[in-house]
Amino acid sequence: MAPDASEGGAGRLALFTCLSAIVLAFAVAFATAIGDYRIGLGTVFLSITNELGLTGAKVAPIEQSVVWNLRLSRALVAALAGAGLAMCGAILQALLRNPLAEPFVLGVSAGASTGAVCVIVLGIGAGSLSLSLGAFAGAFAAFALVALLSNGATSGPNHTILAGVAASQLFNALTSYIVTTSGNAQQARDVMFWLLGSFGGVRWPDFQLLLGVVVVSLVICAWMARSLDAFTFGDEDAAALGVPVGRIRLILFGVTALLTATIVSMVGAIGFVGLVVPHAARYIVGPLHLRLLPACAVVGAVFMVIADIASRVIATQQTVPIGVVTALVGVPFFAIILYRARPQT
Amino acid sequence: MSVVAENLNWGVKRKAIVLGVSLTVAPGETLGLIGPNGSGKSSLLRLLAGLRRPDTGRVEINGQDIAQVSRKALSRQVAFVQQSVATDTNVTVVDVVRLGRTPHRSAFAGWSEADETSVAEALDRVDMASRRKQAWQTLSGGERQRVHIARALAQAPQVMFLDEPTNHLDIHHQIEILRMVRDLDLTSVVALHDLNLAAMFCDRIVVLQDGAVRVCGTPHTVLTRETLRDVFRVSAYVDISPYHSQPHIRFSAV
Ligand SMILES: Nc1ncnc2c1ncn2[C@@H]1O[C@H](COP(=O)(O)OP(=O)(O)OP(=O)(O)O)[C@@H](O)[C@H]1O
Ligand SMILES: [Mg+2]
């Protein structure tokens, strides 16, 4: 018998896992059905099983193609992006011991935007570089600067956060400088729109890449989950519990930076998911990371798929940037958690 | 397990904080560490526990230089109770005590019967078994201190370093905790401010002053009127307690 499970509510955890898997499946199905051109859930199901070679039902080829090539890949990338951002948020909140930490505190999104404008506005790479590659390079440049400013992220949480703030300011200033001096209004708008997030252009290769990165990150982080728990009372306390603090910090910062940079370069800097979801997940499964990280992944995935659906239905004939939706959906949700978790005084 | 420190020196930016400290703690012995604020007690404990690298000198635990031992292996033998800790995370008492099992568990190992037993025993020892589900944030200062001592016990150490473990504790628990540390079959070094408690529960006492060892020996030899005057700047009478035949100190207000 594992008292760990009996005490922490194994039943509750199992229920949560089953429920969230079902909700995720439904959310993806709806995301695939809904759009300018509505497709019935039955057709969605048959199209997918057809493509997987499980059935040979008759489905209009155009519908099958829309379901498989456009919408399913998009919904799954949304799910993975949500999962990745939420995990990064949980890890950074633990490592930096700051409930306000989120995936972009280390300057990654600011760096990505600078990289993106370098490609779009300055035309660096003369068309050979895609916007995504530029954004990825920028994101990593920002992270490298933060690592440098905080001695390889070893000089304490607040120092690291300040280094992240400095890097964000620097790269945001660079972005503004480039846009105002050499961009035109349209280019500036493009960059803005891209930064606020969009799943518009994603296809299967994006999904495969992101799936690989998310799975590898999840495995590494789950491997270190026990060490993350030990950070509850600070770095020195973690060291007294046998955690090689410097190494763990560096590896986990590296993983979160890689994951965030991949997501940002693919779908833009979608805010709020990485901040809100870890708090919600902690509220459901408790603070221990071996449960919290998978829970974040699932809740983040559901949240992002629903936000993507919302972004397509709230304004007809138009797609609202996903970052706007996550904030609009996230804030009330966050308010509820804050209200329910307020100190009992 | 024995603890041996040889000529430890540590400082920051040209300020020497620990100065040429050498000491030996025999297996099973309880060593008291006393000295005024800022005399380097906490710093010395961190060096002994391997949480800081000394600039020169070395620490041996059970004959092994701790600089050569991995963090994890060291923490299976050595527990450290800090002077004060805090967290913003919403954890329960039992979650905190379970952290003490960290060095004994691999990444995905389940929670074993042995883990559960040491956690339950540790909570019992500090009188917190009935509070295991309470949120750590809502505990009183003394209860937090006891939970941290329980966590160190759950670590099943053979050497324990305690930095002012009696902080915030009521007099009953001060005595209980120190009695427990003395009677447990482990080597311990305890930083204390209460000189009478140090006299009652420590086999030997080290007096630190400005980072250096001023005197070291049994309570009788260390706690003298002269030392108290020179190191702690108080005038005091020392006599022998009829209860435990250790020195008993009474302070004079003039
Ligand atoms: N990282 C540091 N940087 C600068 N000074 C330090 C550092 N750590 C300790 N000190 C200084 O070293 C001295 C010894 O500190 P330490 O915490 O060891 O004292 P202590 O004997 O434990 O005191 P207390 O009884 O108040 O707990 C103090 O003057 C402190 O200000
Ligand atoms: Mg101290």
Side-chain angles (χ1 to χ4, degrees), chain A residues 3 22 172 201 265 284 312:
Chain A
I22 294 170
N172 282 335
S265 63
I284 303 168
R312 285 181 285 151

Side-chain angles (χ1 to χ4, degrees), chain A residues 56-335:
Chain A
K58 268 176 75 113
V59 176
I62 172 80
E63 293 196 339
Q64 183 161 329
S65 168
V66 166
V67 166
W68 184 258
N69 289 324
L70 296 179
R71 293 191 185 164
L72 186 62
S73 53
R74 172 185 180 134
L76 292 179
V77 166
L80 285 175
L85 288 174
M87 267 162 49
C88 288
I91 291 166
L92 290 172
Q93 284 168 10
L95 281 182
L96 299 173
R97 277 198 309 292
N98 191 322
L100 291 177
E102 43 105 23
F104 306 135
V105 284
L106 299 182
V108 167
S109 66
S113 67
T114 308
V117 294
C118 283
V119 173
I120 295 185
V121 180
L122 296 183
I124 287 178
S128 65
L129 280 179
S130 70
L131 188 154
S132 288
L133 263 178
F136 189 86
F140 247 88
F143 175 69
L145 179 65
V146 172
L148 195 74
L149 286 178
S150 59
N151 307 330
T154 53
S155 45
N158 291 340
H159 204 106
T160 311
I161 291 175
L162 287 177
V165 170
S168 296
Q169 297 292 339
L170 172 67
F171 280 93
N172 282 335
L174 281 177
T175 306
S176 306
Y177 178 79
I178 295 170
V179 170
T180 46
T181 52
S182 46
N184 57 36
Q186 183 54 40
Q187 282 175 331
R189 211 162 28 241
D190 284 351
V191 172
M192 260 295 287
F193 197 82
W194 170 80
L195 256 188
L196 282 170
S198 150
F199 291 112
V202 297
R203 297 289 180 271
W204 284 115
D206 299 307
F207 169 76
Q208 284 150 2
L209 174 65
L210 194 52
L211 182 67
V213 176
V214 168
V215 168
V216 168
S217 307
L218 186 60
V219 170
I220 295 178
C221 298
W223 184 261
M224 300 190 165
R226 292 256 160 80
S227 306
L228 269 178
D229 293 339
F231 278 88
T232 309
F233 292 96
D235 289 5
E236 190 161 83
D237 201 58
L241 289 171
V243 174
V245 172
R247 194 168 75 213
I248 298 270
R249 285 175 80 90
L250 204 58
I251 293 176
L252 287 177
F253 278 133
V255 168
T256 53
L258 174 69
L259 190 48
T260 317
T262 311
I263 294 171
V264 171
S265 63
M266 215 172 262
V267 298
I270 303 169
F272 227 71
V273 180
L275 176 66
V276 180
V277 172
H279 289 293
R282 216 173 272 123
Y283 187 71
I284 303 168
V285 300
L288 298 182
H289 288 87
L290 206 50
R291 290 169 181 199
L292 180 62
L293 292 175
C296 280
V298 180
V299 176
V302 171
F303 185 89
M304 192 71 103
V305 174
I306 292 175
D308 181 37
I309 297 174
S311 79
R312 285 181 285 151
V313 297
I314 43 183
T316 43
Q317 301 298 319
Q318 227 170 5
T319 305
V320 180
I322 189 84
V324 173
V325 180
T326 52
L328 284 179
V329 180
V331 171
F333 189 55
F334 202 43

Side-chain angles (χ1 to χ4, degrees), chain A residues 1-4 7 97 99 219 222-223 226 229-230 232-234 236-237 239-244 282 287-288 290, chain B residues 46 51-52 71-72 75 82 86-87 90-91 98-99 103 105-109 111 116 132-133 136 148 151 155:
Chain A
M1 182 207 67
D4 216 2
E7 280 199 30
R97 277 198 309 292
V219 170
W223 184 261
R226 292 256 160 80
D229 293 339
T232 309
F233 292 96
E236 190 161 83
D237 201 58
L241 289 171
V243 174
R282 216 173 272 123
L288 298 182
L290 206 50
Chain B
R46 288 197 186 98
L51 296 174
R52 298 270 161 78
R71 276 244 68 84
K72 188 158 181 168
S75 63
Q82 295 203 58
T87 182
N90 190 10
V91 282
R98 280 177 174 174
L99 284 179
R105 303 172 77 190
S106 61
F108 295 108
W111 184 249
E116 184 56 26
R132 56 188 287 140
K133 297 268 59 150
W136 188 87
H148 267 79
R151 197 188 77 178
Q155 224 172 315

